[in-house]
Amino acid sequence: MSASVDRPSPYIVGPVYDWAFFLLPPLGALALGVAISGTSFSGEPFVLWGREKTLAGLLVGSLIHAHLVAVFFRSHGNPALLRRFPLRFLLVPVLAWALIRGSPMVAALATVLATFWDVWHSGLQTFGFARIYDRNGGNPPALARQLDFWLNHLLYAGPILAGATMLDHFRSFDALEDVGLPFFTAVPAFMSATHRAWTLGVVTLGGAFLVFYVFAHWYLYRRGYRLSFLKVFLLVTTGACSIYSWGFDSWGEAFFIMNLLHAVQYLALVWASEQERIRERLRLGQWRANRPVAAAVFLGSVLVYGVGAELLDPDLESLWALTLVVSLMHFWYDGFIWSVRREQV
């Protein structure tokens, strides 16, 4: 058998699926964000169930909440994982809800935590895709791992610290003033006053790291490293999208672009990895339409939650606390499951 036949596929699922849902979403989200900027779709508010929204805000907000709750198909929908880690999957969410609901201080701290954990988590998602493409390209799992780890956080968090949306991320600290922690409310003012220094530091250190990253890969290439085009394409397009959005764009458009691409990639990943289990749990058997029915149940259920959470009245504190727990568990569970399943990629 020839080597070309033996060589594994460079894709995670397949060429069409990967390009549609993993590789092109950064460019697609960027193009859509630019296209709707200044239009009624993104700027004309309307009232739905007592909440004022724009169509763009309703769309991306619903997708954000939908992708957050989709992690439970990976954790609680997997009997083997659930049996192996029952406390963290069953007890921790209940305790987290009770603490958030019972303490305004915990609720405020959880809000700040969710804001910045989201930045870290988003960089890790692209990192995970990059490592799989590198492995599928024929490289040892540990090779260039740390380089990719820090590059992904640089490409995502760097433009936030150095760009136009920095203050919007740090405004979550304002919630701490209402719970008797006024010290932390000085953080947004400090970040705003020192923004120029942060920008200079990120640009200088980030630029130096990018040079080092390219040189390190050139060095590895000369010693047998196989350059993965898919990995390079994903990192370059995601990095360019992040720099444009977080670095130079308005908060609303940047938020729409980056969260749209992240949610689409994640929902596609969950469906690709969990569809067999979803079909088994639904007991669809060999029915010809089992796949589209399972897909409809998966997407329909997470989207119903997503729309409901986006339109939820924050004064319904018990339900609001539940959405915050879902967010925190998403960040924790997803990173944990990546680690359990990564097989050292």
Side-chain angles (χ1 to χ4, degrees):
M1 187 176 292
S2 66
S4 61
V5 175
D6 291 337
R7 182 178 300 171
S9 170
Y11 295 97
I12 298 173
V13 179
V16 175
Y17 196 94
D18 280 36
W19 280 105
F21 298 115
F22 299 150
L23 296 166
L24 288 179
L27 295 181
L30 178 60
L32 182 59
V34 172
I36 67 173
S37 179
T39 67
S40 59
F41 188 84
S42 63
E44 187 172 314
F46 64 95
V47 177
L48 180 63
W49 293 354
R51 304 296 308 279
E52 186 176 278
K53 296 289 180 181
T54 64
L55 286 173
L58 179 61
L59 170 63
V60 75
S62 299
L63 283 175
I64 289 171
H65 287 292
H67 104 276
L68 290 171
V69 80
V71 75
F72 290 93
F73 281 92
R74 304 186 77 195
S75 55
H76 296 67
N78 186 329
L81 273 178
L82 192 58
R83 286 193 300 269
R84 187 176 173 187
F85 306 103
L87 292 180
R88 71 186 67 197
F89 288 156
L90 298 176
L91 181 60
V92 171
V94 176
L95 291 178
W97 178 86
L99 288 171
I100 291 172
R101 182 64 184 89
S103 170
M105 182 176 295
V106 172
L109 289 171
T111 302
V112 175
L113 175 61
T115 299
F116 291 94
W117 202 349
D118 179 47
V119 176
W120 180 264
H121 163 79
S122 298
L124 282 178
Q125 176 169 293
T126 308
F127 165 73
F129 284 132
R131 293 309 305 153
I132 295 174
Y133 284 129
D134 216 31
R135 180 201 62 187
N136 290 355
N139 295 301
L143 189 62
R145 181 180 178 84
Q146 289 301 314
L147 288 170
D148 285 348
F149 179 84
W150 291 113
L151 178 68
N152 277 281
H153 287 304
L154 169 66
L155 292 177
Y156 201 91
I160 291 176
L161 288 174
T165 64
M166 178 273 294
L167 186 57
D168 293 291
H169 283 82
F170 283 89
R171 280 177 179 155
S172 60
F173 282 91
D174 291 341
L176 299 176
E177 185 173 13
D178 297 331
V179 295
L181 296 174
F183 169 77
F184 292 100
T185 61
V187 173
F190 171 78
M191 293 300 298
S192 181
T194 58
H195 190 198
R196 184 178 180 85
W198 283 100
T199 300
L200 181 60
V202 169
V203 170
T204 302
L205 296 177
F209 181 79
L210 287 174
V211 172
F212 173 73
Y213 183 88
V214 171
F215 175 79
H217 275 70
W218 173 80
Y219 177 84
L220 293 172
Y221 177 76
R222 289 175 60 87
R223 283 154 180 78
Y225 173 80
R226 298 178 180 180
L227 192 64
S228 169
F229 169 76
L230 299 179
K231 168 185 159 179
V232 172
F233 182 88
L234 177 68
L235 293 179
V236 169
T237 55
T238 303
C241 187
S242 177
I243 291 169
Y244 169 79
S245 300
W246 295 132
F248 301 102
D249 216 346
S250 68
W251 166 254
E253 190 176 333
F255 186 82
F256 178 92
I257 293 170
M258 296 305 296
N259 282 281
L260 177 62
L261 77 88
H262 179 80
V264 168
Q265 288 177 331
Y266 187 79
L267 289 171
L269 173 67
V270 174
W271 172 248
S273 63
E274 305 301 326
Q275 59 174 296
E276 295 300 330
R277 262 184 289 271
I278 294 172
R279 288 154 65 186
E280 289 175 4
R281 298 298 289 270
L282 293 175
R283 299 181 181 180
L284 297 175
Q286 299 301 315
W287 184 31
R288 179 178 298 180
N290 63 3
R291 190 182 299 270
V293 169
V297 170
F298 166 62
L299 289 175
S301 60
V302 298
L303 287 174
V304 166
Y305 170 84
V307 174
E310 177 62 16
L311 295 175
L312 178 68
D313 185 347
D315 291 336
L316 300 174
E317 295 181 358
S318 294
L319 293 178
W320 176 84
L322 178 62
T323 65
L324 188 53
V325 169
V326 169
S327 298
L328 294 174
M329 293 304 101
H330 171 87
F331 302 142
W332 183 34
Y333 288 164
D334 192 56
F336 172 72
I337 294 168
W338 269 110
S339 298
V340 169
R341 295 183 176 179
R342 74 186 187 188
E343 297 178 356
Q344 300 305 308
V345 300

